[in-house]
Amino acid sequence: MVKLSRVQEGGRRVRQRFSLVLVFLCVLFQICAGGSIVLRDVTKKTGITFRHTDGSSGNHYVMETVTAGLALFDYDNDGDIDIYFLNGAPLKGRKFKTPPMNALYRNDGDWKFTDVTKEAGVDDREYGLGVAVGDYDNDGDLDVYLNSYGPNVLYRNNGNGTFTNVAKQAGVTNDFKVGAGACFLDADKDGDLDLYVSNYLDFSYGKHVPIMQRGIPAYATPRYFLPLPDNLYRNNGDGTFKDISESSGVGLHAGWGMGIVCADYDNDGDTDVFIGNDVAENFLFRNDGTGKFEEMGLVSGCAYDLHGDQHGSMGVDCGDYNNDGLFDFYVTSYEDQLATLYRNLGDGMFEDVTMLTGAGAGTLPHVTWGNSFVDFDNDGDRDIFVACGHLQDNVGLYDDTKTYLARNILLMNTGDGKFIDISDKAGDGMNVKLSSRGAGFDDLDNDGDIDVVILNSRREPTILRNDSPSKGHWIQVRLRGIKSNRDGVGAHVKVVAGDLTLLDEVHSGRGYQSHYGMRLHYGLGNREKIDRIEVRWIGGGVDTFKDIAVDQLLTITEGTGRTQ
């Protein structure tokens, strides 16, 4: 037996105590982290009675698996965020006594919503998949585009709480295709919104492929159907659009498009497009500034994952998760594939940092769909929310390790570029177990934090109120374009508060076939004043504002700041 000296023994005791302190601090951190974000299920309180259908008849048509997205936007300009749910429609072999339709719910405050679908004229009964919202005619109210299985719909907002379908007159019905995500963007920087329409695959009832898994009927993968190129429509400025898919370059690439987001990832002043392709490489269309695009997914490093594998990509969002002034992409995917975080390296290149950051925690067993970078606790960094649910309704019959219903996932940003899964500790809203698809994120009660709306396949939606206890300060920014498009879609907005610099961009269409977040939200932590807000409009002008108070919704009109 070796006898330690007093010095050695003392050192050993110090190390033991230090180790205990470290363990205590780690446990304390996990406890505190678990309680820092709380999402409560308030669905029953809202009065929302919408119920989704995929129109299935037991034939397992491929589009049943991918419906649908939703939109969060202020349709009536009354200052609060309303909810528009997309719905499926009867497929061959299925009949309904009351045909299903989309549903618009007006936000009446205090978590009460009223169904105004029919009076607003948005009771579309096509097979809904994707949706984008934008003021395409620059008249001061938000219009709605629906990407469907069938003819697409463009609802022009009449400014009086009603809408008119003008898709045929505008030239954007997009033939009879299986739709996916959609986005409005100003591709050519001319001051009005163009329209990007993603297409999933080439399907008709005659091309349906019956599939069996261990003797059980199942859905065919997209590989059984030909991919299609997407469509890009240029706004003519007179209420009509021109199809420029081929001349712009986007029509030269066929893929199985699903989620989509438009973002200036290379900070060169124009809007680029990221397409998550199911069962194939992702597309990243780089804009040359004139509305012509070059596909850069493989070259940039975000076509495949770290191992060079293609994913069954579903939804995609962009955000600056590490506050380095560059937009990163987060892409959800199929079972046994991690949802993927692509970090922007700043030279047109991306790196898969999913394993390094923990951004895929909990996602591997699930099919993952709607997602976003959201600062739920207003601490100055963006967390990640992931909607989960299998697409095979009977998966448990041939694979007892999988389930159709699943809980969603909440990954908290620890502030050092890492994420931890706090789903088990983040409130009863994270205990809901359904099969989720589209998800939207916005401040539904105007209290300064972000709430969640989830569309669930074949079921009622889930509405989550953010009740996080330790909230930091915040600022929300709403843009009003003059030379640029009305809502500043594509504009970069930088917020500087002391040692914190945050960057965001106005999007129209994002996540999984959904739309949300046109009022930009920034968590500020304990910082009590904003030193500077810079807005770089998509047309090229820059407005700067100084010494701004926190905890407010700030409306910025183009040209009213100090132009650089």
Side-chain angles (χ1 to χ4, degrees), residues 161-178:
T162 68
F163 294 79
T164 301
N165 182 8
V166 296
K168 288 184 179 180
Q169 302 95 300
V172 292
T173 56
N174 207 45
D175 299 325
F176 198 103
K177 300 176 181 176
V178 180

Side-chain angles (χ1 to χ4, degrees), residues 273-341:
V273 185
F274 188 107
I275 306 293
N277 282 313
D278 198 355
V279 301
E281 71 275 13
N282 301 317
F283 292 157
L284 180 60
F285 288 111
R286 185 179 64 189
N287 193 336
D288 71 353
T290 68
K292 295 186 183 300
F293 294 84
E294 181 180 6
E295 205 288 293
M296 302 293 291
L298 180 60
V299 174
S300 68
C302 58
Y304 303 99
D305 71 4
L306 177 66
H307 306 289
D309 293 330
Q310 60 196 20
H311 279 201
S313 298
M314 302 298 185
V316 56
D317 191 29
C318 82
D320 183 7
Y321 83 93
N322 55 353
N323 292 342
D324 65 351
L326 301 167
F327 288 128
D328 314 292
F329 292 112
Y330 190 79
V331 187
T332 52
S333 56
Y334 196 59
E335 65 180 2
D336 299 326
Q337 300 169 348
L338 291 173
T340 308
L341 175 60

Side-chain angles (χ1 to χ4, degrees), residues 494-548:
K494 181 188 296 184
V495 172
V496 180
D499 61 337
L500 182 66
T501 299
L502 303 171
L503 180 68
D504 207 351
E505 179 178 325
V506 182
H507 303 289
S508 172
R510 63 198 298 190
Y512 182 70
Q513 303 185 166
S514 294
H515 172 95
Y516 54 87
M518 293 187 81
R519 299 189 312 195
L520 303 182
H521 173 268
Y522 304 82
L524 301 172
N526 60 3
R527 298 158 186 88
E528 298 182 348
K529 186 190 72 169
I530 295 170
D531 300 308
R532 187 171 74 257
I533 296 180
E534 296 177 1
V535 182
R536 191 193 73 191
W537 302 89
I538 195 64
V542 178
D543 287 327
T544 303
F545 304 85
K546 294 184 177 181
D547 298 327
I548 301 106

Side-chain angles (χ1 to χ4, degrees), residues 265-266 284 286 296 299-301 344-350:
Y265 77 91
D266 50 3
L284 180 60
R286 185 179 64 189
M296 302 293 291
V299 174
S300 68
N344 192 331
L345 301 179
D347 53 1
M349 299 294 294
F350 290 84

Side-chain angles (χ1 to χ4, degrees), residues 338-358:
L338 291 173
T340 308
L341 175 60
Y342 294 102
R343 183 178 67 192
N344 192 331
L345 301 179
D347 53 1
M349 299 294 294
F350 290 84
E351 178 185 12
D352 178 353
V353 294
T354 309
M355 298 295 291
L356 181 65
T357 62

Side-chain angles (χ1 to χ4, degrees), residues 32 117 251 331:
C32 292
T117 309
V331 187

